[in-house]
Amino acid sequence: MLTRILKTHHALPRAVSRGCPRQYHDDSTFGYRVPQKYELPDYTQKELDNRNANAPLLRYVESVRRHGHRAAQIDPLDLMDRDPVGALDPLRYGLEALQSYPLQGILHLPPSPEPTTPPSTVGPERSETGEGSKVSVALDKIKEHLMSVYVDKIGFEYMHCPEKNERLWFSHHVETETSSFPLPLDDKRRKRIWELLMRSEELDKFLAKKFPNLKRYGCEGAESMLPALSSLFEVSAEAGISSIVLSLPHRGRLSLLCDPDLMAFPPKALFAKIKGKPEFDPATAPGATGDVISHLSATRQIPFDTGKRVKVKVLQNPSHLEAVNPVALGVTRAKQMELLKSSPRECQLGDKVMCVQLHGDAAFAGQGVVAESLGLSGLPHFGSGGTVHIIVNNNIGYTTPASLARSSIYSSDIAKMIGCPILHVNGDHPESVTRAVDIAFRYRQMFRKDVIIDLICYRRWGHNELDEPAYTQPLMYNKIRGRKSVPELYESRLVEQQLLTYEAASSTRRDHVNHLEEHFNQVESYKPRSEMLEGKWKNYVWPAGSEADHDPDTGVKEEELLDVAQASVTLPDSFNIHPRLRRHISSRLKSLDAKVDFATAEAMAFGTLMKEGLDVRISGQDVGRGTFSQRHAMFVDQQTESCHIPLNEGLSGATGKLELANSSLSEMAVLGFEVGLSWSDPQLLPIWEAQFGDFMNGAQSMIDTFIVGAEAKWLKQSGIVIMLPHGYDGAGPEHSSCKVERFLQLSNDTRTTNTYGDINLTVVNPSTPAQMFHILRRQMKRNYRKPLIVASPKGLLRSPLAASSLSEMTPGNTFQPIIEGPTNSSADRVVLCTGKHYYTLLEHVTKTDKMSSVNMVRVEELSPFPYSELENTLSKYKNKEIVWAQEEPSNQGAWSYVKPRLEGILEKVGYEGTIRYAGRKVGATTAVAVGEWHKREVEEIVKAALE
């Protein structure tokens, strides 16, 4: 059966062509993978001659292939605006109605049971048997065949695909096997389709009866998505895929979860959640808050009659609908990382793991993250071997009709940006839906690229079950309310075919309702489990638990640090390095004898983690060299443009790998991708670095929904690191601030005590390379994972004032939440600040000889707020003036966050004064863009803090 699925007579010969047109960052680099390119046989000379001789027929066939979907019977409500498609009339091309035409090289026909002529010698993939091999075929037969293929319940769009091989494959596939299935569509399978439809319908009816005020976002009108997924899961298992990552929005989620043949989520667990009980065990997950029913998830090994199994993981998804798309891609990629790390070159993306994404039509057309995610699909460090997309297309978004929701004909048109095929299918015909899934899956297996199934259906009850859609869509809902449901329609067809009786159907429905009733009666005794420390997470702990190690030793022996630093800039003798980078290498090696800069400290953090068996991945725009040309973790040969990553090649004893993923110009999708990686693999340090700190604006909803609250909502730990270059240096409003105030506002710090495990975010602004070294290592040395936000340096990257000694990174040293100094017992003022601003103040103190009158305290970790450390320090200064100094305006930066916390600490230590603010005044923008004004502001805020 596996051979049948993957290597049917139309699975055309493959010729592998690796790589991209330009081999920059090539496949010798860890993590670089592109799908194989499949070459199909071109037309023979005989076929080319026939195409030339019968050009009118060729134009007609090509027009039907290109435009047939515009007349196909794909809309169950028949409400889509449809103009007559003149391109489908063969007489427009000068063809004669009563004439016969040879088809070689123009059109494929299904093979007849008994071939009338021997097969062509072109090869099994180009041979034509039966009707297709006749010298000529009557025009009416040609038209009949084309209409049955392209103007039926599936509308095919593939002629826009830029690859000729894909167009050849598609035309051959759909024209020769108009009714094939990977597994026989026998009576048993048809009954299974009906049972899936029926169980979905009965669950929705049951919920409507038991919980009449519940917004369940049911599947009614789109029940065909369930046999679509069931078929997709089964053919995937038969093809050897072991794991599927599935993301979907609200619609139909409960039907998918609770179906016993699909995710088998216990209905009693759903009913308990609806009745107000938690979906997890609160005793094992202190601090968790849970989420609504339409965001629930499940994981299951689904068995099939053939003995094959596939593990399906349904991801949690917030109400920002399509935001889960890149996360799903990241989870899928992570599941293949071990293969990518250890397998030989012939290991292909998508062999064992597949991503499946369901979408709403309005969201797919309207959400920018869709385009960003599609843009990742073919990139060497983001691809996962092809995603199968299913758009559950209601032809309406909330109350907005399609004509107001998009500028394109179809909601799927955005996917044409990556040249993938699209199959529009009528949701009222589940067998056609199953066939569309078969074709889509075969394409994905053949080309390892994305493919779209546009499942056109409707919503029976409007946006939710408490809505009145006729307010805005009276004609649509007049049609909907006067028609049988999808399960009822299919049930009637099976009864007509004598595969089912109404009596048997009613009995099966009652059995399922009784099953739901039994679960409903078990709600009070149901005890949920907290399934968050399993699989790769089994050796980790819940962050708020007593076993959590918040401050492990992150120091490393000096000789190992030197070894890593040396290896980080060691290149082969034959490597053609850029002349200016010789100075970079020389500076890094010289710095080891004196003080270490940020780039070297970062390299030492990465290298030492790799020697401990951990992987590191940095993604973002230009991360290989670094935005400020400081990192140079990868070197590009100046003659061949081949890439060399020294830490992967010359670090002795390292089993971990460094992946440098120079990304597309995307923030939301790339950050979401890294979140997906972090969810799946706690042994990976995933870093997303923005070019400038404010670039995180484009990923704000990803931060709000997947990073800040995933632990509390979904029990999902994440070790994601977000590096955001921050610091005022005259760059104007856009590139000065990483909006640290937003992260601090999102922190759930309690303002009373250092309870690290309860805090959802770690936010730091490290002022020395040693601090950066320790915070990166701490991220992986803890026995749990937390998101880390780093307001990372720009101007300090090469500053000798900010450099650190090797001794600060040796055993016994850790990250310091605060750094005190310089201090003087006779000082009458204590200035607290964070990050780069410390050096601005220090320079002024040194120039003006005020060292004796000012004590400095750097707050390096803002969340969790360092209560105990500051209490110990400030208790010594109860009679001094306390100043908070910052670069940012007072309505931005850390001031509004630290003020109440500092006041609480000072009250506790008996301080009777008030904290004075020294910084920019309230601003509508982050910074001014006039150089003279910027210089004057710096002088003013420094004087306010120190004079």
Side-chain angles (χ1 to χ4, degrees):
M1 191 58 67
L2 179 60
T3 302
R4 160 101 177 115
I5 294 173
L6 296 180
K7 296 183 178 180
T8 55
H9 71 275
H10 56 274
L12 303 166
R14 311 172 178 183
V16 179
S17 175
R18 295 189 180 277
C20 301
R22 184 166 177 257
Q23 287 292 312
Y24 179 77
H25 206 171
D26 59 30
D27 60 0
S28 64
T29 304
F30 174 69
Y32 184 105
R33 287 292 192 280
V34 293
Q36 288 182 340
K37 188 174 181 179
Y38 299 96
E39 298 289 346
L40 278 67
D42 203 350
Y43 296 105
T44 65
Q45 188 58 51
K46 182 179 179 181
E47 290 170 332
L48 289 173
D49 291 344
N50 189 54
R51 287 166 65 89
N52 288 326
N54 290 280
L57 177 65
L58 175 62
R59 288 196 297 125
Y60 169 56
V61 171
E62 295 284 86
S63 291
V64 175
R65 288 169 176 165
R66 186 175 299 277
H67 301 293
H69 62 90
R70 293 166 51 199
Q73 305 163 45
I74 56 177
D75 182 7
L77 300 181
D78 197 25
L79 289 174
M80 296 174 65
D81 290 333
R82 295 269 172 153
D83 294 326
V85 186
L88 306 184
D89 181 3
L91 301 183
R92 291 173 62 95
Y93 303 92
L95 299 171
E96 298 292 336
L98 300 179
Q99 188 172 335
S100 295
Y101 296 89
L103 304 183
Q104 291 90 344
I106 296 176
L107 177 65
H108 309 282
L109 293 181
S112 297
E114 296 180 5
T116 57
T117 58
S120 164
T121 58
V122 175
E125 314 308 338
R126 297 294 299 157
S127 67
E128 294 173 340
T129 58
E131 293 293 323
S133 66
K134 290 183 178 179
V135 175
S136 60
V137 177
L139 182 61
D140 62 339
K141 286 281 189 182
I142 294 172
K143 180 179 179 180
E144 179 184 347
H145 178 53
L146 286 170
M147 295 302 105
S148 69
V149 173
Y150 293 104
V151 192
D152 196 21
K153 302 302 185 296
I154 305 176
F156 298 101
E157 282 194 279
Y158 64 87
M159 293 297 285
H160 62 276
C161 295
E163 288 286 338
K164 178 191 69 175
N165 295 320
E166 296 173 32
R167 299 194 302 273
L168 286 173
W169 181 92
F170 237 100
S171 62
H172 189 278
H173 189 103
V174 302
E175 291 165 16
T176 60
E177 297 209 9
T178 56
S179 60
S180 79
F181 289 86
L183 300 170
L185 191 65
D186 53 18
D187 295 354
K188 182 179 179 181
R189 198 163 300 280
R190 287 190 173 96
K191 287 181 179 178
R192 184 182 180 190
I193 289 174
W194 172 75
E195 288 171 355
L196 287 161
L197 301 173
M198 175 273 297
R199 288 195 295 260
S200 175
E201 184 173 48
E202 292 302 330
L203 175 65
D204 278 319
K205 288 180 179 179
F206 189 86
L207 291 173
K209 177 182 176 182
K210 297 293 186 180
F211 307 100
N213 295 319
L214 175 70
K215 295 179 181 179
R216 62 182 184 274
Y217 303 101
C219 205
E220 292 149 299
E223 289 93 345
S224 288
M225 68 172 264
L226 298 177
L229 289 172
S230 177
S231 177
L232 184 57
F233 296 164
E234 188 168 12
V235 296
S236 300
E238 288 298 311
I241 288 175
S242 59
S243 183
I244 290 175
V245 178
L246 174 62
S247 64
L248 74 160
H250 308 348
R251 181 122 199 257
R253 192 181 194 94
L254 302 184
S255 294
L256 166 68
L257 290 177
C258 292
D259 192 279
D261 284 349
L262 297 175
M263 298 312 300
F265 186 82
K268 58 188 175 184
L270 171 62
F271 302 151
K273 175 64 179 175
I274 296 173
K275 285 193 168 189
K277 299 180 182 297
E279 65 271 30
F280 53 88
D281 181 2
T284 60
T289 61
D291 205 352
V292 298
I293 61 168
S294 50
H295 300 166
L296 292 174
S297 67
T299 302
R300 186 191 179 208
Q301 283 275 5
I302 301 179
F304 297 98
D305 294 343
T306 58
K308 299 293 180 66
R309 303 165 68 90
V310 65
K311 185 176 183 180
V312 179
K313 183 179 186 64
V314 178
L315 295 182
Q316 296 88 347
N317 185 22
S319 292
H320 286 72
L321 300 177
E322 304 293 329
V324 73
N325 299 356
V327 179
L329 295 175
V331 172
T332 306
R333 173 84 175 195
K335 287 181 176 294
Q336 300 181 96
M337 283 303 293
E338 285 302 315
L339 289 174
L340 295 175
K341 182 177 176 181
S342 61
S343 68
R345 289 282 183 87
E346 57 267 19
C347 168
Q348 288 299 299
L349 290 169
D351 285 346
K352 296 294 183 181
V353 188
M354 181 171 72
C355 185
V356 178
Q357 297 185 4
L358 271 65
H359 315 272
D361 53 309
F364 195 77
Q367 296 291 300
V369 69
V370 173
E372 289 189 34
S373 301
L374 290 170
L376 298 181
S377 62
L379 299 182
H381 290 276
F382 296 88
S384 55
T387 297
V388 177
H389 302 264
I390 302 177
I391 301 173
V392 182
N393 188 341
N394 308 303
N395 271 311
I396 188 172
Y398 203 165
T399 67
T400 304
S403 59
L404 300 179
R406 59 179 183 264
S407 298
S408 57
I409 297 175
Y410 299 114
S411 61
S412 56
D413 283 346
I414 185 67
K416 292 179 180 176
M417 64 177 277
I418 59 170
C420 73
I422 300 163
L423 291 76
H424 309 279
V425 59
N426 191 320
D428 264 7
H429 296 266
E431 292 182 14
S432 295
V433 172
T434 304
R435 178 173 176 253
V437 167
D438 167 31
I439 296 170
F441 177 73
R442 293 195 194 199
Y443 170 86
R444 185 267 183 190
Q445 288 297 91
M446 186 72 180
F447 297 102
R448 293 295 196 267
K449 295 175 69 175
D450 286 28
V451 60
I452 309 289
I453 299 171
D454 182 15
L455 176 61
I456 301 177
C457 50
Y458 57 89
R459 295 188 317 220
R460 181 163 289 277
W461 303 114
H463 179 66
N464 62 69
E465 291 72 23
L466 307 184
D467 186 28
E468 176 46 84
Y471 289 154
T472 53
Q473 314 297 333
L475 298 182
M476 173 182 278
Y477 278 88
N478 279 340
K479 276 203 167 189
I480 290 172
R481 286 165 181 163
R483 63 188 286 113
K484 285 185 176 182
S485 69
V486 176
E488 289 170 340
L489 287 173
Y490 193 64
E491 183 178 300
S492 297
R493 290 173 199 154
L494 296 190
V495 171
E496 290 174 4
Q497 297 169 10
Q498 298 184 344
L499 298 179
L500 188 67
T501 65
Y502 285 121
E503 293 77 13
S506 296
S507 176
T508 305
R509 286 178 181 270
R510 284 195 301 271
D511 289 344
H512 188 60
V513 173
N514 291 337
H515 167 73
L516 296 175
E517 194 72 51
E518 289 176 9
H519 275 259
F520 186 79
N521 294 331
Q522 297 171 15
V523 166
E524 296 306 320
S525 61
Y526 174 68
K527 303 294 183 186
R529 293 179 60 241
S530 300
E531 301 176 355
M532 72 285 198
L533 297 174
E534 299 176 351
K536 288 186 176 182
W537 291 88
K538 65 182 179 180
N539 295 323
Y540 293 82
V541 303
W542 185 246
S546 59
E547 298 177 338
D549 182 6
H550 304 302
D551 196 22
D553 188 344
T554 51
V556 177
K557 293 180 180 179
E558 185 170 313
E559 56 268 27
E560 190 170 336
L561 295 173
L562 291 170
D563 176 57
V564 171
Q566 176 79 39
S568 71
V569 288
T570 299
L571 298 171
D573 292 339
S574 60
F575 194 86
N576 300 291
I577 190 174
H578 192 286
R580 290 173 60 182
L581 288 180
R582 297 184 189 279
R583 187 167 65 244
H584 166 80
I585 294 174
S586 175
S587 297
R588 177 167 293 189
L589 296 178
K590 286 180 181 178
S591 71
L592 299 177
D593 298 326
K595 295 256 182 162
V596 174
D597 63 14
F598 275 92
T600 305
E602 180 189 77
M604 291 193 294
F606 295 160
T608 53
L609 289 172
M610 292 164 63
K611 288 173 76 73
E612 294 171 26
L614 301 167
D615 294 327
V616 180
R617 173 183 161 104
I618 317 175
S619 75
Q621 297 139 23
D622 311 305
V623 295
R625 65 162 229 179
T627 294
F628 308 101
S629 199
Q630 87 286 358
R631 178 172 290 127
H632 295 294
M634 58 174 258
F635 294 86
V636 178
D637 190 289
Q638 296 300 294
Q639 294 183 12
T640 66
E641 283 200 346
S642 63
C643 187
H644 187 83
I645 299 177
L647 284 179
N648 280 340
E649 307 299 331
L651 192 57
S652 61
T655 57
K657 289 291 186 179
L658 170 62
E659 182 174 9
L660 296 169
N662 287 327
S663 76
S664 64
L665 197 65
S666 159
E667 285 81 43
M668 186 171 179
V670 174
L671 178 56
F673 191 94
E674 305 308 313
V675 170
L677 290 172
S678 73
W679 278 8
S680 295
D681 191 358
Q683 293 288 94
L684 169 72
L685 176 63
I687 300 172
W688 177 66
E689 181 178 64
Q691 276 192 337
F692 290 93
D694 64 295
F695 280 28
M696 49 71 64
N697 286 330
Q700 189 64 55
S701 61
M702 191 63 65
I703 293 165
D704 292 342
T705 55
F706 283 97
I707 293 175
V708 173
E711 182 185 304
K713 290 188 296 185
W714 306 323
L715 311 186
K716 287 285 191 183
Q717 295 188 49
S718 168
I720 184 75
V721 178
I722 303 179
M723 286 188 174
L724 304 173
H726 177 84
Y728 282 55
D729 50 16
E734 261 71 65
H735 295 336
S736 296
S737 174
C738 73
K739 303 294 185 181
V740 67
E741 64 275 2
R742 294 186 186 172
F743 295 101
L744 296 177
Q745 183 186 37
L746 293 168
S747 168
N748 66 342
D749 188 283
T750 62
R751 302 188 181 187
T752 57
T753 182
N754 258 345
T755 51
Y756 281 96
D758 289 337
I759 309 304
N760 62 334
L761 288 177
T762 301
V763 182
V764 300
N765 192 351
S767 62
T768 72
Q771 288 283 82
M772 182 70 84
F773 171 85
H774 287 297
I775 197 66
L776 291 174
R777 283 186 51 81
R778 190 183 77 174
Q779 189 72 354
M780 299 302 288
K781 297 298 286 183
R782 284 174 166 174
N783 58 357
Y784 62 88
R785 296 290 178 259
K786 287 278 184 182
L788 170 64
I789 315 300
V790 182
S792 55
K794 297 186 294 182
L796 298 183
L797 289 171
R798 298 177 178 84
S799 171
L801 292 176
S804 298
S805 64
L806 282 175
S807 62
E808 295 175 71
M809 293 176 267
T810 53
N813 292 286
T814 60
F815 179 81
Q816 300 301 305
I818 69 169
I819 299 176
E820 190 177 357
T823 61
N824 190 299
S825 58
S826 62
D828 56 9
R829 180 179 302 170
V830 178
V831 176
L832 296 96
C833 62
T834 185
K836 162 187 169 286
H837 196 45
Y838 164 77
Y839 295 98
T840 304
L841 298 173
L842 182 64
E843 181 183 16
H844 184 83
V845 166
T846 304
K847 283 183 178 179
T848 57
D849 197 25
K850 291 184 177 294
M851 197 71 75
S852 61
S853 62
V854 176
N855 287 343
M856 305 282 286
V857 178
R858 281 172 273 175
V859 181
E860 302 275 295
E861 185 170 56
L862 291 160
S863 174
F865 197 65
Y867 292 96
S868 58
E869 292 87 350
L870 283 172
E871 181 181 335
N872 292 336
T873 297
L874 296 179
S875 63
K876 300 181 294 186
Y877 305 119
K878 290 187 287 187
N879 299 318
K880 311 293 184 182
E881 182 186 18
I882 306 294
V883 178
W884 174 263
Q886 66 176 38
E887 294 184 294
E888 303 86 356
S890 61
N891 60 323
Q892 300 172 41
W895 170 236
S896 60
Y897 173 85
V898 301
K899 182 177 183 289
R901 290 161 174 80
L902 285 175
E903 288 174 342
I905 293 171
L906 292 174
E907 181 181 0
K908 188 174 181 181
V909 301
Y911 184 77
E912 296 181 355
T914 58
I915 309 166
R916 185 164 65 83
Y917 168 79
R920 285 176 168 83
K921 61 184 179 181
V922 172
T925 63
T926 299
V928 298
V930 179
E932 292 181 355
W933 297 354
H934 169 76
K935 183 178 179 180
R936 185 167 66 245
E937 282 185 347
V938 173
E939 294 173 352
E940 290 173 352
I941 64 174
V942 168
K943 289 181 179 179
L946 301 175
E947 296 183 1

